Amino acid sequence: MSKEEALTPSSAADRVEQALKFLEGRWKLVILFRLFGGKVLRFSELEKAIPAISQKMLIQQLRQMEADGIVRRIVHHQVPPKVEYCLTDWGQALCPALDALLQWAAARERPGETDARAQSARSAS
Amino acid sequence: MSKEEALTPSSAADRVEQALKFLEGRWKLVILFRLFGGKVLRFSELEKAIPAISQKMLIQQLRQMEADGIVRRIVHHQVPPKVEYCLTDWGQALCPALDALLQWAAARERPGETDARAQSARSAS
DNA sequence: CGGCATCCCCCGTGATACTG
DNA sequence: CAGTATCACGGGGGATGCCG
C-alpha cells in the first residue's frame, strides 16, 4: 500500500538504518528477546536471565533503549529498591520482527522447511 | 500457534542469541537490507550504496556472512574483476524478519498505525 | 576493479569497588 | 537490590598503501 510514498528500495534501506541505530549494541536484541511478549522483569531477573552480560552493560543498554522509547522503566519507591522493565508500545511493535527472527533462527536447525543450503557455488563466465 | 512446542520463552531467547551472532556487527543488517529482495549487487555498488562504510568493513562483514551462509559470493573471472553478492536461500529466509523491521521503522514515523506512545509513566505502589 | 595488509586510535566492554 | 564510578584492556573500525 501507499506505493506513491514507497520511494526507492534504497531509501527504504536508508530509513531502516536509522531504526537500526536503536538496536545496535551487543546486548540490545538479547535483552529485547527477554522482554519479548510483554513480560515485565526486574533488574535482577534480567541479570539472571542473561548471565553473560555485566551489570554495567545491562544498565547501559537498558538506559539507552529507555531513552529511545523502546523499553519502559518502572521504579517502585520501596526499600529494598525494585525496578522493573518492559517494552513500551513502540517496543511491542518490534515483536513481529523479533518473532520473524525467531522463526529464522528455528529454520536454521530445521532444514527442509526453508530448504536452505540448496545452492552451490557457481562462478559466472 | 504451536503452543505445545513453545517451550520456555527463555529457551527461545537463548536460541535466538545464537542466530543473533550471525547478525552482529555494525553493518551486517545494513548490507542485508541492501541485498534485500534478491538483489544482486557488485562490490562497488554496495560501496556506493553504503557511503558510510569503509571498504575494509564491507569486505569483512561480507566475508563473515558468506562464511555463515547468509550471502553468496559470485566471482566473475574477467578483467577487470567483477564480483557480485546476493543472499543465499537461508539469507532470503531472513526477508520476513527484515521486512518486519522495515515495518517497525516506518511505524516510528507514522503514529496511529501502531498507536505507539499511548502509554504513560506509571509507578507501581 | 576488487581485496588484502598494515598501522593506529577510539570506544565499547568488562572487573571491581562503592553508594543509596 | 539497583545503580554509579573508575580503571583497564582488547579489538572493532578507520586511513592508507600495495597486489592480482
Side-chain angles (χ1 to χ4, degrees), chain B residues 60-81:
Chain B
Q60 181 178 303
Q61 306 280 296
L62 239 20
R63 286 301 168 98
Q64 264 182 253
M65 295 199 290
E66 186 197 0
D68 291 339
I70 296 176
V71 307
R72 178 152 39 128
R73 184 164 179 263
I74 305 172
V75 181
H76 299 256
H77 299 288
Q78 324 174 327
V79 31

Side-chain angles (χ1 to χ4, degrees), chain A residues 26-27 54-57 61 81:
Chain A
R26 190 174 174 186
W27 305 102
S54 69
Q55 198 179 44
K56 174 185 175 181
M57 280 297 99
Q61 307 279 298

Side-chain angles (χ1 to χ4, degrees), chain A residues 39-57:
Chain A
K39 284 194 287 289
V40 179
L41 298 178
R42 302 187 51 162
F43 183 81
S44 52
E45 291 179 311
L46 281 171
E47 275 190 298
K48 285 187 302 181
I50 315 173
I53 194 177
S54 69
Q55 198 179 44
K56 174 185 175 181
M57 280 297 99

Side-chain angles (χ1 to χ4, degrees), chain B residues 3-69:
Chain B
K3 267 259 186 56
E4 346 56 66
E5 68 169 12
L7 13 81
T8 70
S10 305
S11 300
D14 208 46
R15 165 138 325 211
V16 170
E17 286 183 44
Q18 300 306 314
L20 250 31
K21 296 267 174 63
F22 298 126
L23 303 179
E24 262 174 26
R26 191 173 173 189
W27 304 102
K28 295 269 183 72
L29 276 305
V30 175
I31 296 174
L32 250 20
F33 268 104
R34 253 51 220 221
L35 262 19
F36 182 64
K39 283 194 287 289
V40 180
L41 299 177
R42 299 187 53 162
F43 183 82
S44 51
E45 290 178 313
L46 281 171
E47 274 191 299
K48 285 189 304 180
I50 315 173
I53 195 177
S54 69
Q55 198 180 46
K56 173 184 174 181
M57 279 299 99
L58 184 54
I59 289 276
Q60 181 178 303
Q61 306 280 296
L62 239 20
R63 286 301 168 98
Q64 264 182 253
M65 295 199 290
E66 186 197 0
D68 291 339

Side-chain angles (χ1 to χ4, degrees), chain A residues 31-39 87 94-96 98-99 102, chain B residues 9:
Chain A
I31 296 174
L32 250 20
F33 269 101
R34 254 49 221 219
L35 263 19
F36 182 65
K39 284 194 287 289
L87 298 178
L94 250 180
C95 287
L98 258 32
D99 197 54
L102 208 48

